Amino acid sequence: MEGYRLNPLLSQEQIASIVQHLADQISEDYGGRELVLVCILKGAFMFLSDLVRYLRIPAQVDFVRLASYGSGTKTSGRIEITKDIEIPIEKKDVLIVEDIIDSGRTLQFLKDRLALLSPRSIKVCALLDKKTRREVEMEADYLGSEVDDVFIVGYGIDFNENYRHLPAIYYVTPIDRSKT
Ligand code: IMP
Ligand code: MG
């Protein structure tokens, strides 16, 4: 991708420490319960895979894929599910695993939808949170780090399907060619 600069935000080591800390909290809170992690594809796949390895308790894993209709980097109000969970969650403790909370609409949609399946509880674990962008009320129960209103890539998170493979997290800025 030309015309953009990737600026380091969180190193691999910083991410590892954040994710380990989250896994410790979750392991303490959910010991002895039937925990189902529901990962929102695609952005949270790397986060989920690290998180589950740091957990010290058993957990089942499932995935959803959501499509939101809007232009560019902005999530519109309309969200659809394009791949649903496959394991039963009735009477189980569900923890949604998300990469970034922005407007909050994606999580609001998914929480409402999963609630129809009568789980024992539904909570949210998010790696990053852009709190200043919120449009609906939504708080992560487990949060890695708050971030400014910047566009983020790496560690599973994409910009037009690029940069997901990067092991660290960056924010994207346009290169101003008039200054070169
Ligand atoms: P929300 O519904 O507005 O909270 O949007 C959350 C979704 O938008 C996340 O699951 C991400 O996929 C995407 N998103 C939000 N901010 C960024 C970003 O900075 N980079 C890449 N994707 C983002
Ligand atoms: Mg996402």
Side-chain angles (χ1 to χ4, degrees), residues 69-111:
Y69 298 91
S71 55
T73 60
K74 183 128 176 54
T75 310
S76 74
R78 215 176 113 234
I79 300 167
E80 272 178 22
I81 193 148
T82 59
K83 187 240 167 284
D84 210 339
I85 54 165
E86 292 164 19
I87 56 181
I89 58 166
E90 192 182 340
K91 299 198 178 90
K92 293 182 187 168
D93 290 294
V94 172
L95 184 61
I96 298 172
V97 178
E98 171 65 312
D99 53 0
I100 306 174
I101 314 180
D102 189 338
S103 72
R105 291 186 190 279
T106 301
L107 281 169
Q108 188 185 55
F109 170 87
L110 186 61
K111 272 184 109 172

Side-chain angles (χ1 to χ4, degrees), residues 9 14 63 133 167:
L9 187 64
Q14 286 171 311
F63 298 88
R133 301 254 309 166

Side-chain angles (χ1 to χ4, degrees), residues 133-147:
R133 301 254 309 166
R134 205 69 94 250
E135 291 170 15
V136 297
E137 217 173 282
M138 181 55 60
E139 280 297 321
D141 300 280
Y142 302 91
L143 176 64
S145 178
E146 195 174 330
V147 288

Side-chain angles (χ1 to χ4, degrees), residues 23-41:
D24 284 346
Q25 288 176 266
I26 294 164
S27 301
E28 274 179 33
D29 294 353
Y30 286 91
R33 313 253 291 265
E34 280 192 278
L35 176 60
V36 183
L37 301 175
V38 174
C39 171
I40 306 183
L41 293 172

Side-chain angles (χ1 to χ4, degrees), residues 154-166:
Y155 195 64
I157 301 161
D158 77 307
F159 179 26
N160 292 337
E161 292 301 329
N162 292 293
Y163 309 125
R164 286 193 204 277
H165 65 287
L166 297 172

